Amino acid sequence: MNEQDFLAAYDPHAYPAVAVTVDVVALTIRDGALHLLLIRRGEQPHAGLWALPGGFVRPDEDLVTAARRELAEETGLAGEPLRRVHVEQLASYGAPDRDPRMRIVSIAHLAFAPDLPDATAGTDADEAAWVAVAELTNRQLAFDHGQIVADGLERARSKLEYTPLATRFLAPEFTIGELRAVYETVWGHQLHAGNFHRKVLSVPGFVESTGASTERGGTRGGPRARLYRAGDARLLHPALLRPALLRPAREETVR
Amino acid sequence: MNEQDFLAAYDPHAYPAVAVTVDVVALTIRDGALHLLLIRRGEQPHAGLWALPGGFVRPDEDLVTAARRELAEETGLAGEPLRRVHVEQLASYGAPDRDPRMRIVSIAHLAFAPDLPDATAGTDADEAAWVAVAELTNRQLAFDHGQIVADGLERARSKLEYTPLATRFLAPEFTIGELRAVYETVWGHQLHAGNFHRKVLSVPGFVESTGASTERGGTRGGPRARLYRAGDARLLHPALLRPALLRPAREETVR
DNA sequence: CTAGGTTATTCTCAAGTCGAGATGTTCTCA
DNA sequence: TGAGAACATCTCGACTTGAGAATAACCTAG
């Protein structure tokens, strides 16, 4: 049998029924706190519980495209603002019993977004909201989404170390102080302002000066700060290492 | 409708037909060179081409379990030797046209194995072999397996930096020189023996002394070396950074 | 058995990086 | 107008790194 004949005779339904979905751990910073996009499920199973935005991958759609579509549907984002959101694959979750309906393998994605307007519910949810990560500890999420969020957060903390993705939480032009606030928020730890400043400017390609400064000083005083934009580096070298205190003790969630 | 009724009425085949497979990028070191486990496909499509070992995920099987099963089938490994192989999830590949049969999403895994006996072909392959990675450049692989291998290699190089997984390429007891050889092989670059030695012993939990030494010096001379075993650290801190020369210029494949 | 080459292990030293603290200045707010 | 906050730079000591070298143990060839 040649390849042509083989394909003509091939029956896709001969294989076990598995569904593939994408889920999105979308992070942003609001009011100085890390927030996560959640929807309240409007349908069974787990109706009423909070869950990650996500859904089935369409037949002609790439995985990351599906993730961006789901994100767009829940945030109302489109065009240039949507393009500025960073989306990357996080990991896949496929325990046989993770969904009571059937075998569902979910390709989780991680997204970094600048401060966005309030979320708007999509079709299969009656509520979508940015929820402060700090308030998540006592809230139960649907399916294994609690684990996915934990993995996503650890990945985010880790990505700030060796990529310039912290800038994706900010407007195109930002000050070093704003960038430091991103690190402090995601890592949950104060950083030494002077050392951070020195380090950021010394890593090639991390940020580049716009030549301009802010119009006014900060709300609580201080001089006008210089403005920077993201540089062209895709990896930071040398990296901005987290204080030893903040790194994970085990490795399970680290990729 | 409550959750019970919902599940009873649920029809799995109402959703698009997608198959989920696992593929394994299994690496080992043979004769001082990095090798990759490949099978020659015995069935359409791409019959005759070399491909990664892999196959459909069974209904009651976790993803990493499926990957370990596929690996065991191709290497003939079982029991303790199989347990010593490190397997972790690499990434998922789901471009709509990556397989001509149907929509197939593959969860690729990465495995680090000590030097193993020759591979034995499984049921759907007429040949399985450890192939030197260096000889792979001019060989075409089936599907998108070339990309998966490239991603796996970059991940492996990166994992050696911040995890103690290099020890998984070796026997339970090894010398610092053998460990250095792993790094040199995977990174494709000579390292400074003295500095490597100092660094490995200074990273907490990387290796621990067995108190013993090798019975004889190396085949080409030198004193007997002390023997070590893997320590209990899961992450190396501070990391063993690759020379700047060896790090990827872009970030696409880095997780 | 010996010479020469190879490897393990430890040192030295200069250059680079990091954490902590301090300084001088510019701003905002009360 | 004065206090307090934030920006931008410096300093300094501790630590890490890269490169070279020293010493000693051990193998193989001859």
Side-chain angles (χ1 to χ4, degrees), chain A residues 155-188:
Chain A
R155 176 80 135 266
R157 287 189 278 264
S158 163
K159 287 291 252 191
L160 292 210
E161 293 191 286
Y162 62 94
T163 73
L165 291 176
T167 59
R168 297 304 196 102
F169 286 110
L170 299 171
E173 298 198 351
F174 50 85
T175 69
I176 301 293
E178 289 165 348
L179 185 61
R180 177 165 48 83
V182 170
Y183 278 88
E184 292 179 335
T185 301
V186 176
W187 285 351

Side-chain angles (χ1 to χ4, degrees), chain A residues 224-238:
Chain A
R224 300 172 187 182
R226 289 175 211 162
L227 285 168
Y228 297 82
R229 66 174 76 89
D232 54 10
R234 292 290 165 271
L235 288 173
L236 302 183
H237 185 71

Side-chain angles (χ1 to χ4, degrees), chain B residues 31-73:
Chain B
D31 310 320
L34 190 61
H35 283 64
L36 170 70
L37 183 63
L38 290 179
I39 63 165
R40 195 193 288 279
R41 285 184 62 78
E43 299 182 355
Q44 292 290 359
H46 292 188
L49 272 192
W50 289 90
L52 293 175
F56 293 97
V57 176
R58 295 182 182 166
D60 56 352
E61 209 179 34
D62 200 0
L63 299 176
V64 72
T65 307
R68 294 194 86 96
R69 173 178 53 73
E70 293 290 346
L71 184 63
E73 288 175 5

Side-chain angles (χ1 to χ4, degrees), chain A residues 132-201:
Chain A
V133 167
E135 291 174 13
L136 223 66
T137 41
N138 36 10
R139 204 179 291 218
Q140 198 205 330
L141 298 185
F143 309 111
D144 53 359
H145 291 188
Q147 182 62 52
I148 300 178
V149 168
D151 293 350
L153 290 175
E154 175 48 36
R155 176 80 135 266
R157 287 189 278 264
S158 163
K159 287 291 252 191
L160 292 210
E161 293 191 286
Y162 62 94
T163 73
L165 291 176
T167 59
R168 297 304 196 102
F169 286 110
L170 299 171
E173 298 198 351
F174 50 85
T175 69
I176 301 293
E178 289 165 348
L179 185 61
R180 177 165 48 83
V182 170
Y183 278 88
E184 292 179 335
T185 301
V186 176
W187 285 351
H189 192 267
Q190 296 284 115
L191 299 175
H192 184 294
N195 292 343
F196 182 85
H197 199 280
R198 173 182 62 185
K199 178 72 186 180
V200 165
L201 295 186

Side-chain angles (χ1 to χ4, degrees), chain B residues 131-152:
Chain B
V131 176
V133 166
E135 290 173 13
L136 223 66
T137 40
N138 37 11
R139 203 180 291 218
Q140 199 204 329
L141 298 186
F143 309 111
D144 52 1
H145 290 187
Q147 182 62 51
I148 299 177
V149 168
D151 293 350

Side-chain angles (χ1 to χ4, degrees), chain A residues 1-3 6-7 10 12-13 15-20 44-47 56-63 86 88-96 100-105 107 155 159 162-163 165 234-235 237 241-242 244 247-252 254-255, chain B residues 1-3 6-7 10 12-13 15-20 44-47 56-63 86 88-96 100-105 107 155 159 162-163 165 234-235 237 241-242 244 247-252 254-255:
Chain A
M1 184 152 58
N2 66 20
E3 187 155 337
F6 170 81
L7 289 175
Y10 189 83
H13 284 289
Y15 290 92
V18 185
V20 174
Q44 291 291 359
H46 292 187
F56 292 97
V57 176
R58 295 182 181 166
D60 55 352
E61 209 179 34
D62 199 359
L63 299 176
H86 170 79
E88 65 175 41
Q89 202 183 99
L90 173 60
S92 297
Y93 297 80
R101 287 170 289 186
M102 64 180 293
R103 184 71 188 268
I104 295 188
V105 172
I107 321 296
R155 176 80 135 266
K159 287 291 252 191
Y162 62 94
T163 73
L165 291 176
R234 292 290 165 271
L235 288 173
H237 185 71
L241 295 181
R242 276 180 280 186
R247 50 191 56 254
R250 325 192 105 273
E251 190 237 356
E252 316 322 329
V254 181
R255 298 279 289 286
Chain B
M1 185 153 58
N2 66 22
E3 188 155 334
F6 170 81
L7 289 175
Y10 190 83
H13 284 288
Y15 291 92
V18 184
V20 174
Q44 292 290 359
H46 292 188
F56 293 97
V57 176
R58 295 182 182 166
D60 56 352
E61 209 179 34
D62 200 0
L63 299 176
H86 169 80
E88 65 173 43
Q89 202 183 97
L90 173 60
S92 297
Y93 298 81
R101 286 170 289 187
M102 63 180 294
R103 184 69 188 270
I104 295 189
V105 172
I107 320 295
R155 176 81 134 264
K159 286 292 250 192
Y162 62 94
T163 73
L165 291 175
R234 291 291 165 269
L235 288 172
H237 185 72
L241 295 180
R242 276 181 279 187
R247 49 191 56 254
R250 326 193 103 270
E251 190 238 356
E252 316 320 330
V254 181
R255 299 280 289 284

